[in-house]
Amino acid sequence: MKSISRFIGATLILGMLVWTLTINMAIAPVRATIRQLEEAPGQMVYQSRQTLKDQHGNIWQAIAFKRVSPNGKSSFELRLVGFPGVVEIDRSKPLLLADSMGKTLAANDNSSIIFTDLSAPDSNVGEYDIQPLLPQLQPEIPLSLTLPIVGGETINLSVPASFVQDWQTLFSSRE
């Protein structure tokens, strides 16, 4: 009887530990790792990669990156990558960034700079110039991205505030 009580007690303790870890992982903000790459001599790229889900449950990769050229000039883009064959991004329209306070900003499409064959760009990849928008974003407020797709529909992606904070950290870094 004593061994059964110990077994039940140990099982309950183990169950509570697993439950606590699961809850903490579910509510803890996900932070991205900021990577540093040297693309060419003196040209650095700093990037943060995150995974986002759209309203259909499809997974997207969001890659925010800052490129610093040897002369010190920098650019900041957001690349959104969906699964091939699932969507076709409409590059004639901007990406919309909206916060819960009602502010909406538009990011211009920069996708043409990433494709070597402009006659056949990957339809599931879009790149947007968000450098002019970053100072206007509040890092404590999550965003909703509205990505236009061919056919007049849109893809909606929710961006946690922690991702916005990572983007602003990248943007403000003086590296």
Side-chain angles (χ1 to χ4, degrees), residues 4-21:
I4 292 175
S5 295
R6 285 184 187 163
F7 175 75
I8 291 173
T11 303
L12 287 174
I13 290 171
L14 181 61
M16 289 174 54
L17 178 63
V18 169
W19 180 79
T20 301
L21 289 173

Side-chain angles (χ1 to χ4, degrees), residues 63-160:
I63 307 162
F65 59 95
K66 178 180 181 177
R67 180 172 282 118
V68 182
S69 64
N71 66 5
K73 186 177 178 189
S74 67
S75 63
F76 197 98
E77 278 85 31
L78 176 63
R79 186 176 296 165
L80 298 171
V81 183
F83 282 110
V86 175
V87 297
E88 187 174 345
I89 296 172
D90 184 350
R91 294 191 180 87
S92 68
K93 298 177 182 159
L95 172 71
L96 299 178
L97 296 83
D99 67 21
S100 59
M101 306 301 286
K103 180 189 263 184
T104 301
L105 303 167
N108 293 325
D109 179 78
N110 261 4
S111 298
S112 63
I113 65 174
I114 62 174
F115 299 114
T116 55
D117 183 1
L118 291 177
S119 65
D122 294 336
S123 63
N124 62 309
V125 179
E127 187 167 298
Y128 301 89
D129 178 11
I130 63 170
Q131 184 164 335
L133 309 180
L134 283 167
Q136 300 176 58
L137 300 178
Q138 296 180 13
E140 61 279 353
I141 299 177
L143 292 175
S144 174
L145 303 181
T146 302
L147 182 65
I149 59 173
V150 173
E153 296 179 36
T154 58
I155 294 294
N156 299 309
L157 302 165
S158 296
V159 180

Side-chain angles (χ1 to χ4, degrees), residues 24-84:
N24 284 337
M25 288 173 60
I27 61 173
V30 177
R31 298 299 296 197
T33 302
I34 296 177
R35 298 176 183 158
Q36 176 180 332
L37 310 163
E38 186 172 17
E39 282 188 316
Q43 181 165 307
M44 300 300 295
V45 173
Y46 304 91
Q47 64 177 231
S48 172
R49 295 175 180 248
Q50 296 102 358
T51 301
L52 302 172
K53 262 190 188 177
D54 67 20
Q55 74 269 29
H56 306 294
N58 296 317
I59 301 294
W60 288 76
Q61 185 172 48
I63 307 162
F65 59 95
K66 178 180 181 177
R67 180 172 282 118
V68 182
S69 64
N71 66 5
K73 186 177 178 189
S74 67
S75 63
F76 197 98
E77 278 85 31
L78 176 63
R79 186 176 296 165
L80 298 171
V81 183
F83 282 110

